[in-house]
């Protein structure tokens, strides 16, 4: 039986020579259409075209327990409006910033929350080896790996992680495929 994993990234992870495309297939992209991403309609559409599942991560990366349920729900709605205009389909997955989610919010939205079981804290270190080690030590069938593109070292780590996990027999899939299994 093939083991499955999902590399859940915050934004479209790219490098100047576009090498990151090699590991983006079968990932789930949680886009934040705020600031500079608002003008990235074509990039988000291309991610969808390439087979990525696009999900909601709120408009301003707000934390539910800080802003409250009403503002959080508005953030989800605003983001869905933007993404659905780009994708021409309903957005059904949400990765709540900071993993902050409640059953009350879940009952208010027709969306599935996606949390993760591996967080290598790549957003707070530029140590590629540390990030790679953190993921490889925790990876198991159906793992959802949280990664960001804040530092170039995260992209380097992701490339190493994918190569290693593929060598170990993993297959990268979208969150939707893990949820359906």
């Amino acid at each position: 039986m093939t083991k499955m994993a999902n590399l859940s990234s915050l934004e479209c992870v790219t490098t100047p020579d576009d090498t990151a495309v090699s590991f983006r297939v079968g990932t789930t992209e949680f886009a934040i259409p705020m600031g500079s991403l608002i003008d990235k309609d074509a990039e988000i559409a291309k991610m969808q075209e390439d087979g990525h599942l696009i999900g909601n991560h709120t408009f301003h990366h707000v934390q539910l327990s800080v802003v409250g349920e009403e503002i959080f729900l508005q953030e989800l709605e605003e983001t869905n409006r933007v993404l659905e205009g780009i994708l021409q389909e309903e957005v059904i997955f949400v990765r709540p910033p900071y993993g902050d989610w409640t059953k009350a919010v879940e009952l208010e939205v027709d969306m599935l929350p996606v949390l993760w079981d591996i967080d290598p804290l790549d957003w707070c270190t530029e140590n590629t080896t540390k990030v790679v080690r953190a993921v490889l030590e925790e990876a198991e069938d159906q793992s959802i790996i949280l990664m960001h593109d804040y530092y170039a070292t995260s992209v380097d780590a992701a490339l190493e992680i994918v190569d290693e996990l593929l060598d170990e027999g993993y297959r990268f899939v979208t969150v939707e495929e893990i949820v359906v299994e």
Side-chain angles (χ1 to χ4, degrees):
M1 183 166 129
T2 304
K3 298 178 278 188
M4 294 187 295
N6 171 267
L7 186 64
S8 181
S9 62
L10 180 65
E11 299 171 16
C12 175
V13 180
T14 56
T15 57
D17 60 357
D18 215 19
T19 57
V21 171
S22 64
F23 74 82
R24 284 181 45 216
V25 174
T27 65
T28 303
E29 310 292 342
F30 287 91
I32 306 176
M34 61 180 214
S36 63
L37 285 183
I38 288 177
D39 298 326
K40 298 220 175 177
D41 294 13
E43 190 171 347
I44 292 171
K46 174 89 169 88
M47 290 186 320
Q48 179 191 37
E49 182 182 308
D50 288 345
H52 302 281
L53 179 69
I54 309 298
N56 188 321
H57 194 53
T58 74
F59 204 83
H60 297 101
H61 201 257
V62 297
Q63 187 170 354
L64 170 60
S65 61
V66 173
V67 300
E69 187 175 312
E70 184 178 343
I71 291 173
F72 190 81
L73 291 171
Q74 290 171 359
E75 289 273 328
L76 291 177
E77 290 172 17
E78 187 174 5
T79 305
N80 277 350
R81 222 177 0 266
V82 171
L83 288 175
E84 290 170 3
I86 296 167
L87 304 172
Q88 298 301 302
E89 66 181 39
E90 185 180 16
V91 176
I92 60 170
F93 292 98
V94 55
R95 188 181 87 200
Y98 312 99
D100 199 351
W101 188 253
T102 65
K103 195 65 167 173
V105 168
E106 191 167 332
L107 294 173
E108 288 290 325
V109 297
D110 192 23
M111 299 180 79
L112 298 171
V114 176
L115 300 174
W116 50 91
D117 61 320
I118 301 175
D119 180 0
L121 302 174
D122 63 308
W123 56 271
C124 64
T125 182
E126 293 185 68
N127 184 329
T128 301
T129 302
K130 182 178 180 181
V131 172
V132 170
R133 190 177 324 116
V135 172
L136 296 180
E137 287 175 357
E138 298 291 325
E140 58 186 30
D141 189 26
Q142 299 192 5
S143 282
I144 297 177
I145 305 161
L146 175 68
M147 291 195 71
H148 305 82
D149 64 349
Y150 192 76
Y151 296 120
T153 52
S154 291
V155 175
D156 295 339
L159 291 168
E160 284 186 45
I161 290 163
V162 169
D163 287 345
E164 183 65 34
L165 291 179
L166 287 173
D167 287 347
E168 291 180 22
Y170 283 84
R171 176 173 63 97
F172 284 85
V173 299
T174 63
V175 165
E176 186 174 39
E177 291 174 76
I178 289 177
V179 171
V180 170
E181 287 283 320

